[in-house]
Every structure is written in C-alpha cells, then in structure tokens.
Amino acid sequence: MPNRLLVLLLAAAGALSGQSRGEFFQTSTIDALVQGVYDGDMTYGELRKHGDFGIGTFNGLDGEMIAFDGRYFQITSDGKARPVRDEMRTPFASVTTFVPDIVIPVDGRLTLEDLKQRIDAALPSANWYYAVRVNGRFESVSVRIFPRQQPPYGSLTEVARTQPVFHSRNVDGVVAGFRCPEFAKGTNVPGYHLHFLNQEATAGGHILALVLSSGRIEIAMQREIHISLPSTASFGRANLAIDRSSDVKVVEK
Ligand SMILES: [Zn+2]
C-alpha cells in the first residue's frame, strides 16, 4: 500500500535523521488559563519569533488563534477571522516552526475520532510532542470560540458554558494544532488540541467535531520544549499546585 509506505519512510527518516528536532514553544500554562489568568505579557510580535504555526488565545480571552505558513489569525466570538497585529498579547499560546516529518494522504471519510486514530497509528511514540496540520475538504466542522471576558475574571469552566458554537458544512480549510503527551498535564492539553480556519480565512475556531472528506495530514515531531512563564502578578498569584485535569477536559471537549 503506497500511502502506508510513504508514511513509514517519512517517519523513519524523521526519527533517525535527528536533524529536525522541532521546538515546541508555549507561553504560560493551561492550568493558569483554566483558573482565569486571561492576561499575559507576551506580544504576538514576540511569539512570532518562535514559530510560523500554532494555536492559542488573546488577552481578555478574546477569541481563538490559529497560525500556519507564518500567517496568524484571530477568530472572535462573532465567528469572524482577521489577521493578528504584532502588538496584541496572549495569555496562552503554543507555536513551532512547522517542518513535516510524516505525511498521510486521506481519501476517505474521517470523523474527528477517526482522524486522531489515523494519526496515532502513524506516530513512532506517544512520548513526543507533535504539531498536526490538515489541509482538506470537510463535510462538516463544529467549532467553539472563547467570548471576550471582562475582569474580574471567572474560571474557564464558567466561560465554557456561555461560549458560542458554530457549525459549517462542505468547507475547504486548514486544521492546525498539537498532540501533547500525557506528561504535558498541568502545562498543556494532553492529547489533541486543534483549531480550524476556512480556506477564505474568514471563519474558524476551536474544533469540537469534524468530518474530513479528503485531504492531507502533515505531522511534525517536537523534541525540544520551551515554556515561557509570564512575569505578571496574576500568574504569580495563581494556585498551580492543584490538579486541574478534569477542568481541562471540560474546557477542551
Ligand atoms: Zn483551542
């Protein structure tokens, strides 16, 4: 089966060459975000220096971020996407310089669960971080978008109850995000965290469900981890000694 062979060859090349170690860069931690640390001190101008691809949010929890090919977009809770300005800031974001190690062509119908299984089956191990990109045609996509918050901030589980959800059908677009290992717990989202932007770059969000009709999956291995912690008082005050795993599951699913 040529497709499988391609995957295996690329995986072997990526795993053995050691040339592309891929740096996964994140600012702040998911546990800080979950408990309401919605303002960070990192600008998007600074974040851009660490990658051309990634996902995140904005100060005040003002929508969802998706980046690929060096283009960064903000999707606000009205469902609309626009380019990110360098002076904007983020309380939580993850980026990398995307260099694919594994490529999987898709020509059959895949739900989000199918897609995750297809990718998992192609990974050499669940112990590294992976950046995941899908370019394709989607039968359906359901996304949520964080609505902008005003201080004093509530927790993210409270925000999740009021977040708008959008559904679209028969769209071309890009999925971008990461698969983090289980040991990322506390700092990031274990498992998959994926965002979507349509082909026209006008709409998207944090993916809740999708059906991929056809397309191409690209996976980039990440074996260097860089976590940049905010210098803000709100981050300093956050109680990061509590296990927030169940809250993270509520917020991300
Ligand atoms: Zn998200």
Side-chain angles (χ1 to χ4, degrees), residues 137-157:
R137 175 83 175 162
F138 298 83
E139 187 181 306
S140 64
V141 182
S142 297
V143 296
R144 71 100 195 277
I145 303 170
F146 286 145
R148 184 177 183 166
Q149 302 296 299
Q150 301 295 338
Y153 297 138
S155 73
L156 204 50
T157 50

Side-chain angles (χ1 to χ4, degrees), residues 82-243:
R82 58 186 68 75
V84 173
R85 300 188 313 276
D86 278 351
E87 67 271 22
M88 297 170 89
R89 290 176 193 268
T90 178
F92 182 69
S94 306
V95 301
T96 190
T97 300
F98 193 90
V99 181
D101 296 296
I102 302 173
V103 177
I104 310 171
V106 175
D107 52 10
R109 191 173 179 277
L110 295 182
T111 64
L112 182 56
E113 278 312 307
D114 297 335
L115 177 66
K116 291 174 182 177
Q117 284 175 17
R118 180 72 62 93
I119 295 169
D120 281 349
L123 301 180
S125 166
N127 294 341
W128 290 306
Y129 287 58
Y130 299 93
V132 175
R133 174 175 179 161
V134 183
N135 277 66
R137 175 83 175 162
F138 298 83
E139 187 181 306
S140 64
V141 182
S142 297
V143 296
R144 71 100 195 277
I145 303 170
F146 286 145
R148 184 177 183 166
Q149 302 296 299
Q150 301 295 338
Y153 297 138
S155 73
L156 204 50
T157 50
E158 290 163 35
V159 175
R161 289 188 206 113
T162 62
Q163 63 192 9
V165 174
F166 295 86
H167 308 282
S168 48
R169 298 191 66 79
N170 301 319
V171 286
D172 293 315
V174 176
V175 170
F178 296 93
R179 183 194 193 285
C180 293
E182 284 304 316
F183 68 77
K185 186 168 79 100
T187 63
N188 213 302
V189 180
Y192 291 89
H193 182 179
L194 304 170
H195 289 186
F196 177 78
L197 187 73
N198 68 1
Q199 193 75 48
E200 299 74 26
T202 55
H206 170 107
I207 294 172
L208 299 175
L210 61 73
V211 177
L212 175 65
S213 315
S214 62
R216 174 186 168 91
I217 303 166
E218 295 179 317
I219 302 163
M221 298 179 69
Q222 317 272 280
R223 288 172 289 182
E224 300 290 343
I225 311 304
H226 182 167
I227 302 178
S228 175
L229 300 178
S231 307
T232 58
S234 60
F235 182 84
R237 279 194 306 268
N239 184 348
L240 300 178
I242 299 172
D243 186 340

